[in-house]
Each structure stands twice: as C-alpha cells, then as structure tokens.
Amino acid sequence: MSHHIVEAKDLFFRYPDGTEAVKGISFKITHGESVAVVGANGAGKSTLLQHLNGYLIPTKGELRIGEVMLTRKNVHAIRRSVGMVFQDPDDQLFMPTVFDDVAFGPLNLGLSEENVKAKVNQALETVGMLHVIKRPPYKLSGGEKRSVAIATVLAMSPDILVMDEPSSNLDPLARQRLIGLLKGFHHTKIIATHDLDMALELCERTIVIHDGRLTADSRTLDLFQNESLLAESGLAKPLSMQGCHVCSGTAKQFQPRTVNHTH
Amino acid sequence: MAKLDSQLFHIDALDELASGNSVFHNLDPRAKLVTTLVFIGTVVSFGKYEVSALIPFAIYPLVLISVGGLPFFYLAERVLLVAPFAFFIGILNPFFDQTIMVHLGSVSLSGGWISFFSIMLRFLLTVGSALVLIALTGFHAVCMGLEKLGVPRPFVVQLLFLYRYLFVLIDEASRMIRAKSLRTFHSRGTKIRTFGSMLGHLLLRTLDRAQRIHLAMCCRGFDGHVRLICPLKIGWKETIFVLGWVLLFFSMRFYHISEHLGLMIMRNIV
C-alpha cells in the first residue's frame, strides 16, 4: 500500500535563530516497517520528528507522506495519517478525564457519538487501560499516562505511528509492557529513542543521525555491532549485546565497608 | 511552597465533580449557564443597602449542591479563598459612610457596614453559584455551552486555554520555587533580581510548554471548536429548570420574601 510510505529527500531545516538542525537527510520508509531513529542529544532527532506531522516545514528539500507532499496547505491531511506520541505524556493529555482525552481526536474528526465511544473503548482496550476511563489523566502513574497517550493516538486510526522517546521515564516493568504492546502494532512505526535495547527488540531497521546528518541507515543488528560508528555518533552498544558481566566475572562487586565513624 | 500546588489551586478537582451523575449533572450545559447568569444578574441588580432580600437567593446554590451531591465544605473553602478581594473592595465603606441606618437593640449600624455586608453577601452568592455551575458541568462543557449560545469563538478558546495553561503555569512555578528554596539558606524573601529572572524563566518555560500542548491539540485535529460528548438537547427538563428558577429569582427580586415572612411571624406571635 503506497499511502503509508514516508519519504524524505534532502531535507534541510534551519531555526529562525540560524541554527541548522537538519542538514540534508534522505530516507524512505515503506509500509509496515518499524524504524528506530537514534542519535545523541541535540543530534536533530526531535526536529526531524516534528517534520513528520507537519509542525515544522522543511526550509529545503521535500517530505512525502503517502501521496501527500508536506506543505503548509495540506498539514491537516498529513496529521490525519500520522499519529504522534510525545515524549512527555503530560503535554499530550489535556482533558479532564481519560475518556474525554481519548475522544478528543475522534470528535474533531467529526465521527458520530456512537462511533467515538466505540473508538475510545477499543483504543483503551488495546493498551489495557479501560479501567481508568473515568479518571483524570494527571492522577495516573507514568506508565499509565504513556499508555493512555498512545491510546489517544490510536483512537484516530493513524497509518503511521511516530514516537518520541516512548520508553523514557518508565520503570523496567512498564517499559517491558510498552515494548510488548508496540510489538503487537502493525502500523508503520518511526521511533526516536536513546534506548537502543528497545530499538533492538522493536525495529528491524535503524537510522543514525549525528549533527543533523544521516550517518547510517541499515539493519539494526548489523548497525549496533559497529562500535566505532556508534561511538562517533555519541552512542554505545546496547546492554543486551555487551555480554553478561556477572557470568564473565567482570561485574564489580560491592563489599560492605567497615569504616568506623567517630564523628 | 507546598501550598501553591497542593492546597490553594486544587481547582482541577472541580472537573472531577463534574463527572458525577445526577439530574442536574445531566442537564444541557446551556440551561445551567443561562440560569446562573440570570441568577447573578438578579443578585447584582439589588440596591446598595440591600441585605435581607439577598438571603433567600442562597436557595439556588444550596439546592444545586444538595441535589448534585457536591461537597459543601470543599466549595465553601474555594469561595473563601477569593473572599479577600471582595473584602478589600467593601471594607472602606464603613469609614466613608457613617450615617446610622439600623438600630438593633442598643447596637446601631451605619450605612457603610450595611453596604459592606451587602457586598460580601453578593460575592458569596455569585462566586458560589459560578463554582457550583462548573462543579456540576465541567469547565469544558461550560465553554462549549458558551460557544453554542453564540459567544464569539476567539473568546471561548481564550477561556479554554486560560484554564488549561493555568495548571501548566502553577506546575512550572511551583517546581521553580522548590528549586530556589532548596538553594536559599538564611536569607528570607526573594531578592528583586532573582525574582525578575525567575519570572522571565517562568514565561519562557510556559511558552515552550504551551507550544507543545498546542501542537498536541493540533495533531489531534483541534480547529478552535470545543467538542464534547455531553447532553446537548433542550428538552422539557431543561425548560422546567430554566423557567422554574428564573420565575423564582424574579419573584424574590420583586417580592420581599424575608420581610413578609418576618412580618407574618411577628403577627402570629403578637
């Protein structure tokens, strides 16, 4: 299906203050692909991601989502097909109850009341959050908020899911649950992250960005074995590929100290 | 500064109350909005020295609270929080207006004190009923009601954002104050330089955050219209609600219930 393609051609973006955040990035992501966008802090990941839903318009180059070229005029069509999950779920949840929040998008799409309710229930069920439907979002835990934020996007039935650091600020169990959830989605997924272990589990392909340029684009596993490339881009090999420190005997042992405090 | 985030501004709990389920909760927001506006208009229209005729008007917020199952003390506390504003508006009256108007036994009351009480009473009634309206309806639904009643969209959206960003602002401010107080040891208060810089930072931070929230809203198709699933139908319940209350307000406005009640009781005693 050609309409789920994301294609960037020589994308440039310069902020009004003159900072060039994206300097000529090109890639093509096809239907159903799951792609990780990795890079150090300030590499330009977030700026790139903000193009994907039309928040930023490239100063040069072009971005195509499906058959639609990103311009100021057709931003709405782009936003309709690209669902964006923000880094901070508090930015994404702004209505008084979880139900209202998830219903916000579908209502703006002009769906009927019955339809909206069905969509909300379905989206919340998918992320396993149906039990919090009546609660105010700000009273949920971090993991719950993240799941609800994903539900708000799912309820709009996007073709492409774009996520900014979905595993940040989650406890290990919530993180694992999130990975399991994302594995079950068949959307085209673009995930910007520092969590290379998650990228390894979720994405077959990885794009590395360094200083606004694309420095690598290949199979995740191959890429993460290239330690020099990772180091150049301000990254490090994922923990799961570093071998077990405990088994190899290289793990640091902490001994209880026997110092007498006299003060 | 725990007060700022936990105590003073817990207005968001009002929205939680709005998710309740009572006859009044389920009414069209427009019906409640119009009735409350008429209520406020009537209360405000009384003369400067009116006190006794205002008291029966308390029936409106009280009935709404009891039928809607709202927590009385929680609402009373919110009203009292803003009471200082009304207090300072009225407190100069007793000094300027010292003509004696009422004798209660050996105590005589000047016109200034009476108008002061009148201001406080009006304040309690109007602010109280506005809070009850939001607690029964929810802020978003009130905004939607305003839009449906023909209030220009830019105003409604302003109101909506004002409400939404209030929490963002409080959040950012309380975090900043916490960070400052952890590094302030002996000196009390805030130096004007520090204060200015904090204020500037607060502005920049909230602008940033507001932008992200706006982006999140745009991503989900926000186009300036408030859309909610809530009963939007003027049925017989709404008609009875509005007409019943408005009739009662007008009769209380033109027929002095407390005075007649008092006279009746006095006549029976004598």
Side-chain angles (χ1 to χ4, degrees), chain A residues 39-54:
Chain A
N41 291 325
K45 295 191 303 284
S46 294
T47 312
L48 178 67
L49 243 55
Q50 284 176 2
H51 282 85
L52 298 180
N53 64 1

Side-chain angles (χ1 to χ4, degrees), chain A residues 53 55 91-92 101 108 138, chain B residues 211-212 215 219-220 227:
Chain A
N53 64 1
Y55 183 62
D91 291 341
Q92 197 149 10
D101 232 316
N108 283 333
Y138 58 89
Chain B
Q211 209 164 22
R212 288 202 301 274
L215 171 62
C219 279
R220 289 196 270 149
R227 296 186 185 88

Side-chain angles (χ1 to χ4, degrees), chain A residues 53 55 79 84 86 88 90-97 99-101 104-105 107-108 113 116-117 136 138-139 152 156, chain B residues 10 12-13 15-16 19 140 164 171 209 211-223 225-230:
Chain A
N53 64 1
Y55 183 62
R79 286 182 182 159
M84 177 114 179
F86 287 65
D88 184 355
D90 280 323
D91 291 341
Q92 197 149 10
L93 306 172
F94 44 76
M95 297 292 277
T97 68
F99 176 87
D100 289 329
D101 232 316
F104 184 84
L107 280 172
N108 283 333
E113 195 177 318
V116 169
K117 281 182 181 164
Y138 58 89
K139 289 219 169 145
T152 62
M156 298 184 68
Chain B
H10 236 179
D12 37 5
D15 274 323
E16 268 175 73
S19 60
H140 283 72
R164 168 63 197 144
D171 220 37
R209 183 124 189 215
Q211 209 164 22
R212 288 202 301 274
I213 293 173
H214 181 240
L215 171 62
M217 295 174 88
C218 288
C219 279
R220 289 196 270 149
F222 180 70
D223 55 1
H225 280 291
V226 197
R227 296 186 185 88
L228 281 177
I229 293 188
C230 72

Side-chain angles (χ1 to χ4, degrees), chain B residues 163-200:
Chain B
Y163 186 68
R164 168 63 197 144
Y165 290 146
L166 184 65
F167 298 113
V168 178
L169 189 78
I170 294 168
D171 220 37
E172 295 283 359
S174 59
R175 246 180 287 166
M176 209 177 256
I177 291 167
R178 199 183 314 146
K180 189 207 133 235
S181 64
L182 286 178
R183 287 186 287 151
T184 317
F185 300 99
H186 299 300
S187 58
R188 279 188 164 189
T190 312
K191 280 186 195 143
I192 188 85
R193 251 192 69 191
T194 326
F195 185 72
S197 147
M198 278 174 77
L199 214 59

Side-chain angles (χ1 to χ4, degrees), chain A residues 214-234:
Chain A
L214 195 145
T215 49
D217 178 359
S218 72
R219 228 163 60 89
T220 308
L221 197 60
D222 300 342
L223 210 148
F224 287 173
Q225 275 164 343
N226 187 345
E227 281 184 54
S228 58
L229 172 81
L230 289 178
E232 274 167 31
S233 308

Side-chain angles (χ1 to χ4, degrees), chain A residues 8-181:
Chain A
K9 271 189 200 157
D10 205 20
L11 213 64
F12 272 87
F13 185 79
R14 185 203 300 262
Y15 280 103
D17 65 357
T19 323
E20 277 205 324
V22 175
K23 307 169 188 167
I25 288 183
S26 306
F27 57 81
K28 184 173 178 180
I29 295 169
T30 51
H31 173 65
E33 254 191 307
S34 179
V35 180
V37 178
V38 302
N41 291 325
K45 295 191 303 284
S46 294
T47 312
L48 178 67
L49 243 55
Q50 284 176 2
H51 282 85
L52 298 180
N53 64 1
Y55 183 62
L56 298 177
I57 307 285
T59 33
K60 218 176 91 188
E62 58 186 53
L63 182 75
R64 198 185 285 273
I65 310 276
E67 280 104 42
V68 187
M69 176 92 81
L70 173 62
T71 55
R72 283 209 189 281
K73 273 187 189 160
N74 47 28
V75 156
H76 288 292
I78 297 242
R79 286 182 182 159
R80 174 78 183 77
S81 62
V82 179
M84 177 114 179
V85 180
F86 287 65
Q87 184 172 2
D88 184 355
D90 280 323
D91 291 341
Q92 197 149 10
L93 306 172
F94 44 76
M95 297 292 277
T97 68
V98 168
F99 176 87
D100 289 329
D101 232 316
V102 182
F104 184 84
L107 280 172
N108 283 333
L109 290 179
L111 303 183
S112 72
E113 195 177 318
E114 288 309 306
N115 239 330
V116 169
K117 281 182 181 164
K119 285 254 181 205
V120 172
N121 279 318
Q122 198 190 352
L124 283 173
E125 205 175 346
T126 311
V127 299
M129 282 293 130
L130 207 50
H131 59 287
V132 298
I133 190 163
K134 283 191 173 161
R135 292 183 52 198
Y138 58 89
K139 289 219 169 145
L140 304 178
S141 75
E144 288 171 331
K145 274 186 196 169
R146 182 85 51 167
S147 300
V148 173
I150 293 174
T152 62
V153 171
L154 286 184
M156 298 184 68
S157 340
D159 305 318
I160 299 157
L161 273 180
V162 177
M163 303 194 191
D164 196 358
E165 300 281 2
S167 63
S168 62
N169 296 331
L170 291 186
D171 60 53
L173 202 64
R175 174 180 168 275
Q176 210 49 49
R177 211 175 289 138
L178 174 90
I179 293 177
L181 176 69

Side-chain angles (χ1 to χ4, degrees), chain B residues 78-198:
Chain B
R78 302 305 108 177
V79 175
L80 288 182
L81 278 176
V82 270
F85 293 102
F87 180 83
F88 286 111
I89 289 171
I91 193 60
L92 285 178
N93 288 10
F95 298 101
F96 290 122
D97 185 356
Q98 296 195 339
T99 13
I100 303 298
M101 287 184 69
V102 179
H103 294 277
L104 287 172
S106 57
V107 183
S108 42
L109 274 178
S110 69
W113 279 111
I114 293 175
S115 63
F116 170 68
F117 286 130
S118 180
I119 286 176
M120 289 310 282
L121 204 56
R122 276 169 226 242
F123 156 78
L124 289 179
L125 288 172
T126 49
V127 175
S129 66
L131 277 180
V132 169
L133 169 73
I134 295 173
L136 272 181
T137 320
F139 198 80
H140 283 72
V142 172
C143 287
M144 192 176 69
L146 282 172
E147 194 190 338
K148 295 270 184 257
L149 283 174
V151 174
R153 219 175 68 190
F155 288 115
V156 179
V157 175
Q158 281 297 318
L159 209 59
L160 206 64
F161 279 133
L162 186 75
Y163 186 68
R164 168 63 197 144
Y165 290 146
L166 184 65
F167 298 113
V168 178
L169 189 78
I170 294 168
D171 220 37
E172 295 283 359
S174 59
R175 246 180 287 166
M176 209 177 256
I177 291 167
R178 199 183 314 146
K180 189 207 133 235
S181 64
L182 286 178
R183 287 186 287 151
T184 317
F185 300 99
H186 299 300
S187 58
R188 279 188 164 189
T190 312
K191 280 186 195 143
I192 188 85
R193 251 192 69 191
T194 326
F195 185 72
S197 147
M198 278 174 77

